[in-house]
Amino acid sequence: MKPLLQVKDVAKMYGARIGCTGVSFDLYPGEVMGIVGESGSGKSTLLNSLAGHLVPDRGEVIFDTRADGPVDTVTMSEPARRMLGRTDWAFVHQHARDGLRMSVSAGGNIGERLMAVGNRHYGAIRDHAADWLGRVEISESRIDDRPSAFSGGMQQRLQIARNLVTGPRLVFMDEPTGGLDVSVQALLLDLLRGLVREMGLSAIIVTHDLAVVRLLAGRLMVMKDGHVVETGLTDQVLDDPQHAYTQLLVSSVLQV
Amino acid sequence: MNDYNFAYLDEQTKRMIRRAILKGLAVPGYQVPFASREMPMPYGWGTGGVQVSAATLTPEDTLKVIDQGADDTTNAVSIRKFFEKTAGVATTEETEKASVIQTRHRIPEAELTEDQILVYQVPIPEPLRFLEPRETETRKMHSLQEYGLMHVKLYEDISQHGAIATAYAYPVKVEGRYVMDPSPIPKFDNPKMEMAAIQLFGAGREQRIYAVPPYTQVVSLDFEDYPFEASKADHPCDLCGAEDSYLDEVILDDAGTRMFVCSDTDYCRTRRDAGHAGRLGAEAA
Amino acid sequence: MYVAVKGGERAIENAHAWLAEERRGDTSVAELSLDQIREQLSLAVNRVMAEGSLYDPELAALAIKQSRGDLIEAIFLIRAYRTTLPRFGYSQPVETGEMACDRRISATFKDAPGGQVLGPTFDYTHRLLDFKLAAEGEVPEAPVSEPRLEATPHISEFLQGEDIIEREPSSDGVPGDLTREPMSFPAGRAVRLQSLTRGDEGFILGMAYSTQRGYARNHAFVGELRIGTVPVEMDIPELGFAIEIGEVELTECETVNQFKGSKTVPPQFTRGYGLVFGQSERKSIAMALVDRALRWEELGEDNVGAAAQDEEFVLSHADNIQATGFLEHIKLPHYVDFQSELELVRKLRREAAEMAETLAAREAAE
């Protein structure tokens, strides 16, 4: 099997300070990779460098495109990268307001990606939006409401629907459960797990919450000070951490 | 006014504007930045159109100026007088006699020909402006043809109102490439934009010129199941009886009695001169 | 019975005649002379020159007279005149270090070479209406002292000697000209400063004030404010050297701002800059504050989302001629657009009513 994404020696600096450096890994279709570390460890910098929001200073991020096979997305043209960003890639932000148009109805939010790729049938777009509201457990009757009228958990689910509606092949998630109450987090995780399995999604999830990776990610990468300190199967890393920092991370969770 | 150059602007400035016009014609619907000059009328009152007209006019031209379709509205009068004074060109109210027509908010009803230039006054040239306030971002959206947001707006209209609730300045796509603001003409006029004449658009305050060359494809944005509709008041003109022209609604008395009359005054007069009459045609004459 | 706006031409002529009459006012009162305006309303003249961006006190006085004292209207007259003038070339940069100062103060040093010179300022006047002025305006002669002959050095030079303030890199690059090139973003500092110096005094003041109240606070001190005249020189190609073609009065303000330093630069002071035609003190200080706020990116500061940090926002809305024109254009007829909206609203209401009827009928049937 061909990897969907190949990350080769990616580095991003902020002046003299290291954002992240020396990161390499392959992600295969259907695989979910978790990236954990405390704040400042470089995990968000890495995610943004992979997703094209930041330009890495070094390295390649090769994506297996439908049309042309593996292409380095760092050096590809901006139009091509933006096209990727609204078709085969999706990005779920920690704060739903960063990923939603707050002044546009739920239906319009979900429909935007469809319209961006040329869908011009109002009825079909609306049916699609209604279907996706159902899939993220939002009542269809809310289709014309604006996200500002939604709870935090609903906003996050709407953001997920908006991202997944075009059937992306790779989803980047930045602390998807970050700002939510614990009870709401559990529901959202459950929903995400269902969608990932059902759609066979590949995903890269950045989080500081080990419960999230335990539930969603098959593989795990632990970062500290911009470096990857440990990688492996999630259960293996969490149950038998090798690196001192990972041990600390795991034990600190257990203490809670 | 003899101290001023022909058509007010100096020749250097006119050349600069002509370059922008030519670029606009070469890339239909693309907004060309130009170094708009202060004019002796305020921004927002047609300075873009006036600069484009000034750069377009030659001493042999015949100019017609309309506002809301009419030759005798105050701003049209003021602009016509400006060119009479500064350019000394012939002026006319008859659409077919004009070689250059400057307009605000309307396209004349009479079909225009290859020998004519229609100059629009444009307040906000950017069709994406009210969806995305940043110029840096809208320019990128145009260059990458990222027009999904435009349809989101139309989608929102339908979901809230059951119909596309844009009645004027209805966005169009030009020659399959650029989404363009046709200026605040009623959407009734949109289908006329595929025409034989050259159409030039000037936005003075916003420093943009754009153009539609003759016989260029101009498509009003819509959905397959909610197609674009060019609508107008469902009446014939009360003066000339025309059923195919855009109408103004006029309140006649304190009781609120109304009449509907052609917004294009020249079209209406021409029809009445030819013997057509509407409901109130005889009285009004 | 067709009452729509016929007779626009006559109406305009009559309006103009009436306007001229109102401008003149009561003819038993003596008419204002341009000399009077230029000499006695000189700060208004200065503002019109600054925002009209044309240095000509006579024309500014005429514009004020013609506009009945509406300064934005006067600025507009000057701009519309200015744009028709042929451009012969660009002057040499003026050397404000050589300014013959009427006023020169620093809020950062108690004293400095050149001294603190208050000059003709309102600063320490009590703002009490002077009823004597209503009767007669004779004033006793102000005391004079010997003018300083040598140049007055900039306060910032002293800080620069200590290397404690950022150095402005000198450049022979040709700055943009916003009266000849359309504005594009990012505009760069030179064009930004041009836009600010022509910008509306009230707008720039409001923006500057907002930074002081915490919307992108930049801790400004008035390092120096100086008002005076400087010679203007121009290269004459036929001669092969620069000659003095006149002098202009300028107000220059340099603020000294706190700066914590960044990854690459140690802590030091930074600057904001204001330069305005005439005695335009409030405007030049405000300009310096806004200039400093707009420099957040080059200095590696955070964008806190304040309006004064947003170059596109500030520059797009600073010009009062653009703003007033567009604002007032909504007085123009819009009945074609309004008509189309009217029909749309009627149609939507009709459809909503029909829908309600259908639903009611269906409910009744059930």
Side-chain angles (χ1 to χ4, degrees):
Chain A
M1 194 163 43
K2 232 182 356 176
L4 183 67
L5 189 76
Q6 300 171 60
V7 178
K8 295 184 176 171
D9 194 26
V10 163
K12 173 75 192 169
M13 309 292 287
Y14 297 109
R17 192 168 65 78
I18 295 170
C20 62
T21 186
V23 181
S24 302
F25 66 89
D26 288 346
L27 186 79
Y28 285 88
E31 203 176 15
V32 177
M33 158 86 94
I35 305 176
V36 297
E38 58 196 0
S39 59
S41 64
K43 58 189 193 304
S44 287
T45 298
L46 175 62
L47 190 76
N48 283 307
S49 301
L50 300 182
H53 298 169
L54 290 173
V55 184
D57 297 316
R58 193 176 61 228
E60 293 167 61
V61 179
I62 298 165
F63 181 72
D64 186 15
T65 62
R66 286 186 219 232
D68 306 315
V71 178
D72 183 4
T73 60
V74 176
T75 53
M76 87 196 308
S77 72
E78 193 183 6
R81 190 163 50 239
R82 281 172 76 127
M83 185 52 135
L84 209 55
R86 54 181 197 264
T87 53
D88 266 355
W89 283 9
F91 197 102
V92 177
H93 295 263
Q94 173 176 4
H95 301 291
R97 10 185 90 246
D98 296 337
L100 291 173
R101 291 194 187 278
M102 297 305 282
S103 58
V104 166
S105 70
N109 261 293
I110 299 178
E112 180 172 354
R113 275 169 79 112
L114 295 170
M115 291 181 259
V117 296
N119 203 316
R120 292 290 176 266
H121 192 283
Y122 174 83
I125 293 164
R126 200 165 167 82
D127 289 347
H128 227 91
D131 175 48
W132 264 98
L133 282 178
R135 292 174 75 168
V136 297
E137 295 163 12
I138 296 174
S139 161
E140 200 189 316
S141 66
R142 305 298 300 269
I143 192 167
D144 292 330
D145 293 346
R146 293 185 174 184
S148 44
F150 288 4
S151 70
M154 279 168 78
Q155 287 182 3
Q156 197 56 298
R157 279 179 275 143
L158 181 63
Q159 191 196 178
I160 289 164
R162 168 182 160 90
N163 269 285
L164 298 188
V165 67
T166 47
R169 292 155 68 213
L170 176 59
V171 187
F172 300 96
M173 298 191 210
D174 188 7
E175 304 272 10
T177 59
L180 303 174
D181 295 342
V182 180
S183 59
V184 180
Q185 281 186 18
L187 279 173
L188 188 74
L189 279 175
D190 203 42
L191 179 81
L192 272 176
R193 186 168 57 172
L195 288 171
V196 165
R197 286 198 185 141
E198 185 188 324
M199 298 177 74
L201 288 177
S202 309
I204 298 175
I205 303 178
V206 156
T207 180
H208 65 280
D209 185 348
L210 296 183
V212 171
V213 287
R214 172 90 77 181
L215 209 61
L216 290 178
R219 257 191 327 143
L220 186 59
M221 218 160 81
V222 183
M223 291 190 73
K224 182 179 189 318
D225 300 334
H227 297 267
V228 176
V229 295
E230 187 162 359
T231 58
L233 296 174
T234 301
D235 291 341
Q236 212 169 32
V237 174
L238 293 184
D239 295 341
D240 183 19
Q242 300 299 306
H243 192 276
Y245 175 72
T246 317
Q247 289 166 359
L248 194 71
L249 210 62
V250 171
S251 65
S252 68
V253 169
L254 293 178
Q255 281 166 10
V256 172
Chain B
M1 289 294 260
N2 291 337
D3 298 344
Y4 291 108
N5 194 25
F6 174 76
Y8 187 76
L9 294 173
D10 60 283
E11 292 304 313
Q12 233 181 337
T13 299
K14 282 195 229 168
R15 275 198 289 277
M16 176 273 293
I17 294 172
R18 286 177 197 138
R19 280 195 292 271
I21 291 173
L22 290 174
K23 186 167 177 185
L25 284 165
V27 192
Y30 170 73
Q31 300 166 50
V32 184
F34 83 111
S36 176
R37 300 288 194 258
E38 279 95 353
M39 298 300 284
M41 58 276 294
Y43 285 113
W45 299 55
T47 54
V50 167
Q51 290 180 77
V52 169
S53 291
T56 305
L57 282 174
T58 66
E60 294 74 40
D61 271 312
T62 303
L63 177 71
K64 171 182 164 84
V65 183
I66 52 174
D67 185 345
Q68 313 294 304
D71 297 90
D72 57 357
T73 39
T74 45
N75 202 42
V77 170
S78 154
I79 291 172
R80 187 167 57 241
K81 287 189 108 174
F82 174 74
F83 281 117
E84 280 170 1
K85 234 191 259 181
T86 59
V89 291
T91 56
T92 181
E93 297 196 0
E94 292 174 54
T95 302
E96 60 255 41
K97 290 208 174 135
S99 54
V100 176
I101 302 171
Q102 179 167 333
T103 180
R104 175 168 174 265
H105 294 193
R106 275 310 312 276
I107 297 176
E109 305 292 357
E111 196 168 319
L112 301 183
T113 67
E114 290 182 1
D115 300 325
Q116 294 178 305
I117 297 175
L118 183 60
V119 177
Y120 296 77
Q121 301 171 202
V122 181
I124 304 275
E126 178 51 74
L128 302 165
R129 178 60 70 239
F130 298 110
L131 303 168
E132 170 55 62
R134 287 186 173 277
E135 183 67 20
T136 34
E137 186 57 25
T138 54
R139 285 189 84 78
K140 190 171 273 182
M141 288 160 83
H142 281 295
S143 66
L144 302 179
Q145 280 199 71
E146 287 187 0
Y147 293 132
L149 202 51
M150 202 81 234
H151 269 87
V152 171
K153 154 96 180 41
L154 302 181
Y155 170 94
E156 292 288 285
D157 272 2
I158 300 173
S159 70
Q160 282 162 37
H161 309 295
I164 294 176
T166 301
Y168 61 91
Y170 191 105
V172 295
K173 196 167 207 180
V174 181
E175 205 60 26
R177 177 59 181 85
Y178 283 98
V179 167
M180 183 185 96
D181 183 314
S183 89
I185 56 174
K187 65 179 180 175
F188 173 81
D189 282 340
N190 273 25
K192 295 186 203 157
M193 297 186 80
E194 292 188 349
M195 63 164 74
I198 292 175
Q199 299 170 78
L200 305 176
F201 299 78
R205 190 180 41 81
E206 299 275 342
Q207 308 191 314
R208 296 290 183 273
I209 284 173
Y210 51 102
V212 176
Y215 307 112
T216 300
Q217 185 197 50
V218 180
V219 178
S220 303
L221 301 182
D222 62 2
F223 287 103
E224 289 155 17
D225 45 344
Y226 284 83
F228 170 80
E229 247 180 297
S231 62
K232 68 177 203 62
D234 194 15
H235 291 269
C237 170
D238 283 329
L239 295 181
C240 77
E243 300 196 358
D244 57 355
S245 72
Y246 192 79
L247 301 174
D248 286 337
E249 186 172 332
V250 181
I251 303 174
L252 294 175
D253 54 32
D254 292 351
T257 316
R258 282 162 162 73
M259 71 185 284
F260 288 89
V261 295
C262 291
S263 126
D264 183 337
T265 46
D266 176 57
Y267 184 72
C268 197
R269 188 182 46 241
T270 310
R271 279 181 52 85
R272 276 178 285 147
D273 289 350
H276 297 280
R279 187 171 60 96
L280 304 169
E283 295 171 59
Chain C
M1 81 178 297
Y2 179 27
V3 292
V5 226
K6 285 278 178 196
E9 192 155 347
R10 263 263 301 291
I12 289 180
E13 276 163 16
N14 293 344
H16 289 177
W18 193 354
L19 174 69
E21 216 175 87
E22 286 291 315
R23 180 188 60 68
R24 177 60 184 86
D26 185 346
T27 49
S28 67
V29 176
E31 188 176 350
L32 262 178
S33 73
L34 297 193
D35 292 349
Q36 287 172 335
I37 297 172
R38 192 193 61 231
E39 292 304 315
Q40 296 175 41
L41 297 177
S42 55
L43 296 186
V45 167
N46 283 342
R47 180 170 175 196
V48 170
M49 293 196 301
E51 293 170 37
S53 60
L54 181 71
Y55 195 91
D56 190 324
E58 283 296 321
L59 286 180
L62 171 60
I64 291 168
K65 179 173 177 178
Q66 189 180 331
S67 64
R68 306 172 62 192
D70 178 338
L71 294 190
I72 292 186
E73 188 66 33
I75 292 159
F76 186 6
L77 288 168
I78 291 297
R79 289 272 194 93
Y81 175 75
R82 174 194 194 277
T83 195
T84 66
L85 298 175
R87 178 148 318 195
F88 297 121
Y90 293 85
S91 76
Q92 297 278 330
V94 293
E95 183 48 79
T96 54
E98 313 261 299
M99 181 184 280
C101 297
D102 285 341
R103 170 162 166 77
R104 189 275 197 138
I105 54 164
S106 168
T108 50
F109 294 99
K110 190 170 180 194
D111 200 6
Q116 302 264 19
V117 181
L118 285 185
T121 175
F122 289 119
D123 279 357
Y124 304 102
T125 62
H126 294 138
R127 268 59 168 207
L128 302 170
L129 274 178
D130 181 359
F131 293 102
K132 278 211 308 286
L133 208 55
E136 45 104 12
E138 289 308 310
V139 288
E141 235 170 78
V144 292
S145 67
E146 282 297 304
R148 188 182 151 86
L149 291 176
E150 59 275 33
T152 306
H154 276 117
I155 297 288
S156 56
E157 282 171 26
F158 303 119
L159 293 168
Q160 210 159 285
E162 219 185 305
D163 227 1
I164 200 168
I165 194 166
E166 61 167 330
R167 286 182 184 273
E168 294 291 356
S170 66
S171 159
D172 288 329
V174 179
D177 179 347
L178 64 82
T179 67
R180 285 294 179 271
E181 298 290 329
M183 184 96 83
S184 66
F185 299 104
R189 195 171 178 203
V191 169
R192 226 152 61 191
L193 291 171
Q194 281 172 41
S195 168
L196 294 176
T197 195
R198 283 161 57 103
D200 182 75
E201 180 170 318
F203 178 84
I204 307 290
L205 171 65
M207 281 291 128
Y209 177 49
S210 74
T211 70
Q212 291 184 293
R213 289 194 63 259
Y215 292 83
R217 183 145 179 248
N218 56 39
H219 308 272
F221 298 98
V222 173
E224 179 170 2
L225 177 82
R226 56 169 66 193
I227 302 175
T229 51
V230 293
V232 178
E233 294 186 344
M234 196 167 153
D235 266 329
I236 306 296
E238 288 81 354
L239 297 177
F241 53 86
I243 59 163
E244 187 176 324
I245 54 172
E247 57 177 29
V248 294
E249 186 185 38
L250 294 174
T251 303
E252 182 186 54
C253 174
E254 257 193 306
T255 55
V256 175
N257 304 67
Q258 208 184 76
F259 180 54
K260 286 199 266 305
S262 70
K263 284 147 214 145
T264 50
V265 183
Q268 61 173 348
F269 291 107
T270 56
R271 324 174 189 217
Y273 188 70
L275 184 72
V276 186
F277 275 156
Q279 185 172 343
S280 305
E281 200 164 317
R282 178 186 305 121
K283 171 77 173 284
S284 71
I285 300 171
M287 175 176 166
L289 260 60
V290 177
D291 169 49
R292 179 60 185 78
L294 289 171
R295 297 181 60 209
W296 64 272
E297 200 165 6
E298 64 177 283
L299 295 171
E301 295 173 332
D302 288 338
N303 182 351
V304 298
Q309 286 180 307
D310 188 333
E311 179 186 83
E312 202 172 323
F313 179 85
V314 173
L315 302 198
S316 300
H317 302 114
D319 191 284
N320 52 23
I321 302 308
Q322 291 176 354
T324 199
F326 199 56
L327 179 102
E328 296 192 49
H329 108 282
I330 61 175
K331 292 183 288 192
L332 285 177
H334 281 82
Y335 37 81
V336 163
D337 295 346
F338 183 71
Q339 182 69 35
S340 58
E341 292 272 278
L342 198 61
E343 278 151 27
L344 181 71
V345 172
R346 280 185 189 138
K347 177 167 170 265
L348 294 176
R349 285 176 60 87
R350 200 164 51 236
E351 284 168 3
E354 283 164 10
M355 177 70 84
E357 262 174 50
T358 320
L359 284 177
R362 196 181 297 160
E363 266 174 35
E366 283 163 8

